[in-house]
Amino acid sequence: MPIPAGLTEDEDVRAMLRGSQLRKIRSHTWQKERLYQLQEDGLSVWFQRRFRHAPSRHIFLVQHIEAVRQGHQSEGLRRFGASFPPARCLTITFRGRRKNLDLVARSAEEAQCWARGLDKLRVRLEAMSQRERLDQYPSWDPATCPGPGADSNQDSKMSFKEIKSLLCMVNVDMNDMYAYRLFKECDRSGDERLEGTEIEEFVRRLLKRPELEELFCKFSGEDHVLSAPELLEFLEAQGEAGATLAHARQLIQTYELHETAKHHELMTLDGFMMYLLSPEGAALDPAHTCVFQDMGQPLTHYFISSSHNTYLTDSQIGGLSSTEAYVRAFAQGCRCVELDCWEGPGGEPVIYHGHTLTSKILFRDVVQAVRDHAFKLSPYPVILSLENHCGLEQQAVMAHHLRTILGDMLVTEALGAQDPKELPSPEQLKGRVLVKGKKLPGSWGEDGRPVSDREEEEDGEAVGAAQRRTPSQSGSQAGQISPELSALAVYCCATRLQTLPPSPGPAQPCQVSSLSERKARKFLREAGNSFVRHSACQLTRVYPLGLRVNSANYSPQEMWNAGCQLVALNFQTPGYEMDLNTGRFLVNGRCGYVLKPPCLRQLDTAFDPGCPGPPNTTLTIQVLTAQQLPKLNAEKPSSIVDPLVRVEIHGVPADCAQKETSHVLNNGFNPSWGQTLRFLLRAPELALVRFVVEDYDATSPNDFVGQFTLPLSSLQQGYRHIHLLSKDGAPLSPATLFVHVCVQQS
């Protein structure tokens, strides 16, 4: 699919098509020039590199770009590119775990050209219809194919053998007789070769969606077009109670491709398919993609996206610490980040995972990253969770950096009453940074000792307290806090929670308890309702056991069930746990704050996640088809997936369940199931639904293909497409599932 006409005349895009020699920066010594060139499809960028004197060409996809930053705005360029003028520097950051691409252009104009051009292409890609993405799918993918398409002799014509290679490339093992019949029907010239429009017709017929055609005919009648009233009838059958005739007309004007049909307020099959593949036809309620919840309630009433060991990019034993990890966390909507603060050389505190081989970064550099990136995605408050291992002098330095770098962003005093009855709201704290740490004087634990904000010392799961102290913390300074740092703990004062009383005492909204996952599970098991009540009136933070040396995660769902607001995960570690976190905070504009259900906000609630009551909701999901699932082994043309679909429910223990379809042999392009999965739920307001596609294997564990997770309360009913994500959260467009969803209350 070529670049749209509106962009072909754009000077920036044309310059990118010609290509540029850009210097890639990795270190002081590794700095090499590469040719970077936008491809004709406008979806990918080639770059050239050499291995043992042989040129090698690779690509990155525009859809995988998270952001383009100009100047010395990455840690890599600040450290290794300082000798180059900022105007010539740019950083491309990617979704998922792919490393940043730090580049230096030969001129400021060239750097700006690439930054502007990539932004234009990203905007275009976001606006591109799903049908356009589908149409470009079977074309040559330079990342996986050795030559243009499957055209082995590059004569712009394709034999049946070459067509079969094309089918393998797009992940379908089609029956030879059916494929040859389709080939012959498209071979208008009769020369046993397809070319030009014949190849386009073959692809178009391959893309046919019989299940959508059947659904369309059910509502369109004999004239095979949908009038606005007929489209309204379909919307009502979908369960869209608020649908109106005006809305049906608006959908026709938005998604219909044919001007004549649009003029007569009619929708053809093409327009119907475009609508169902659009965000409005997707599983996620489009109204929930913006901030739609009440943001004026106390902070305690929200789940807050939270990170553990935020500074790490990999393992907590020997991984790299980087300010870029904070930037990535903020780009994923994280609102609570952790800073492990230790004594550093030259009087400057550093951040790293103490007593390990992880690298160290300056505390002040992290604070600068907070200032520059914390509010780019979300305007709502950020909490800095300090794990303080510094002596009094460097604590004072920490306080100085926080005040001078953050300035008015930093909350240094209460907004109103000095002894508030409840915390301020996210709305009141827009653009502000809160410090979570130890407070003096009068900050005493239940056992009469000063409260520490060092998590591992509280619960003793990682390393003993004596081993973790620095020399400056021995003797009288152990566990002390400087007045300068203490003054910054305004609304998030660290406090120890050893036991849960049967009934809550006086409200202490400014206290925050940090619990290991083990202690949180113990409270859930022994006093579920008391734990819920505790988290209804003050913030609770949960973090992974220190014994998880590989930076693995626990399931956040069980902690959300208890109303814990700050459920901290290792954002650098992909897996189903991070899928759940992404799904939980996918809604409400991805702002990092999601309002808890009423049963978790009421101070006198009787809710206990272990005893949620009888089932009151039935979720029925009919798994119909999938479209263009990615190949798992691009190097092996004969490798075709055998897909199955699993639907998982993550909620209170009684609701947790998973069911799956059978597998379809040798078809990742358009597999069909038509199987129904049914779930009974007791606490639907807490449930997350996770759709997973796997490649079936009879002799070993199935391979992951893609997934999508969202709250049940944001799942639209009716016929919906699920737009799949990769293991690290990048879009797998145009890979989708097509399902029918029904939610019934008893």
Side-chain angles (χ1 to χ4, degrees), residues 559-572:
M559 311 308 168
W560 291 325
N561 291 340
C564 299
Q565 298 87 351
L566 303 165
V567 181
L569 297 180
N570 289 294
F571 273 45
Q572 76 275 17

Side-chain angles (χ1 to χ4, degrees), residues 297-306 335-336 381-385 421-426 429 434-437 490-497 500 507-515 523 531-542 559 562-567 592-594 596 600 603:
Q297 300 195 33
L299 289 183
T300 49
H301 288 192
Y302 298 85
F303 295 128
I304 304 171
S305 181
S306 303
R335 298 286 85 191
C336 178
V382 164
I383 300 172
L384 305 183
S385 181
K421 298 291 187 250
E422 59 184 23
L423 290 177
S425 68
L429 291 168
L434 306 176
V435 171
K436 171 191 164 290
V490 178
Y491 287 120
C492 299
C493 307
T495 183
R496 181 179 291 106
L497 183 65
L500 284 169
Q508 295 178 309
C510 295
Q511 293 189 356
V512 183
S513 303
S514 281
L515 310 172
F523 285 158
F531 199 12
V532 170
R533 290 190 178 201
H534 172 83
S535 296
C537 62
Q538 71 181 70
L539 294 174
T540 304
R541 181 175 182 269
V542 182
M559 311 308 168
C564 299
Q565 298 87 351
L566 303 165
V567 181
Y593 284 81
V594 172
K596 297 195 294 186
L600 298 179
L603 297 181

